[in-house]
Amino acid sequence: MTTCHIRTFKDEDYKIVRQMIAANLDGLVPLLVIRSLRLPWTKVFLLAVPLGLFMFCRSVILSIASVGILLAFLWYGSCQVISYFRYRYLNGDMKDIQRSYMQKRGACFWVAESDGEVVGFVAADPAGEKELELKRLNVSEKHRRRGIGKSLSQTLINFAKEEGYEAVVLKSIIVRYSAQILYQHLGFHRTYSYVPHYFFLRVMNCIILGFRYDIPK
């Protein structure tokens, strides 16, 4: 576990926090493509279309091209999915972090510092009178697997206990595998899943998972 200091957000953190949000989302594109290749419709396409083109056109080039077209579409679709979330985050609560979290009753935003560098952050947002939502948990790629995400999450859970909340809830994109493992290790359990009403999220079957942690009384 790396040594880090967790503190509340300051205005000078604004630029790096937004940059880390964008970089983290961009890193999900390859994972979305790989997951999409396992979907039933892509498996059918990869089997039927190249084979059909070869049988009817006797063209190896067309068969290979069809696979290339599918991969290009999946990459484009994954980029569109990430653009959807980037826009929602950076033009939503992350546009004015002070107003969204630091000046909002029952909310807070923490950053993790290591050697004077912001290496992670997490936000807490009330989700009703009895629930606190964990949002925007991010750790820079080169500082992952060092316990920073766990420390940030535990800071939020402790805050929830102090504020009298009964549970911590959160949403996670399905391809954030390491984050979901962390949540489960902390005691969160899955409560629901859904796909937002957006064309590329539907096509790529980009599932949003809900998690809940019940605070011991």
Side-chain angles (χ1 to χ4, degrees), residues 3-146:
T3 302
C4 69
H5 168 63
I6 297 177
R7 58 168 175 78
T8 53
F9 171 85
K10 298 178 182 178
D11 287 336
E12 51 264 37
D13 305 322
Y14 182 77
K15 184 177 180 179
I16 184 63
V17 164
R18 286 173 58 88
Q19 289 174 346
M20 287 176 62
I21 282 280
N24 180 272
L25 287 171
D26 289 341
L28 298 180
V29 171
L31 297 177
L32 279 170
V33 173
I34 293 171
R35 182 176 181 278
S36 299
L37 287 170
R38 301 170 185 161
L39 297 176
W41 73 267
T42 56
K43 290 181 179 179
V44 171
F45 185 101
L46 286 170
L47 177 64
V49 174
L51 181 60
L53 287 171
F54 180 75
M55 290 180 63
F56 289 102
C57 302
R58 298 297 179 182
S59 174
V60 175
I61 294 177
L62 283 177
S63 298
I64 296 174
S66 67
V67 175
I69 291 171
L70 174 63
L71 293 175
F73 174 79
L74 293 179
W75 186 270
Y76 176 77
S78 297
C79 289
Q80 290 300 306
V81 167
I82 295 307
S83 294
Y84 168 86
F85 286 110
R86 185 190 295 113
Y87 181 84
R88 285 174 60 89
Y89 294 173
L90 298 184
N91 292 281
D93 59 308
M94 301 301 290
K95 187 174 183 178
D96 189 341
I97 298 173
Q98 285 284 358
R99 183 175 180 180
S100 297
Y101 297 107
M102 303 308 295
Q103 298 172 7
K104 185 176 180 180
R105 182 179 178 84
C108 196
F109 195 103
W110 298 271
V111 302
E113 262 188 346
S114 179
D115 296 327
E117 175 187 5
V118 174
V119 297
F121 51 86
V122 70
D125 193 23
E129 294 183 2
K130 299 180 179 181
E131 295 179 347
L132 185 70
E133 186 175 4
L134 183 156
K135 300 172 70 173
R136 310 295 175 253
L137 177 63
N138 273 268
V139 177
S140 64
E141 187 173 0
K142 66 179 181 179
H143 289 89
R144 292 174 187 171
R145 294 176 291 278
R146 299 181 183 180

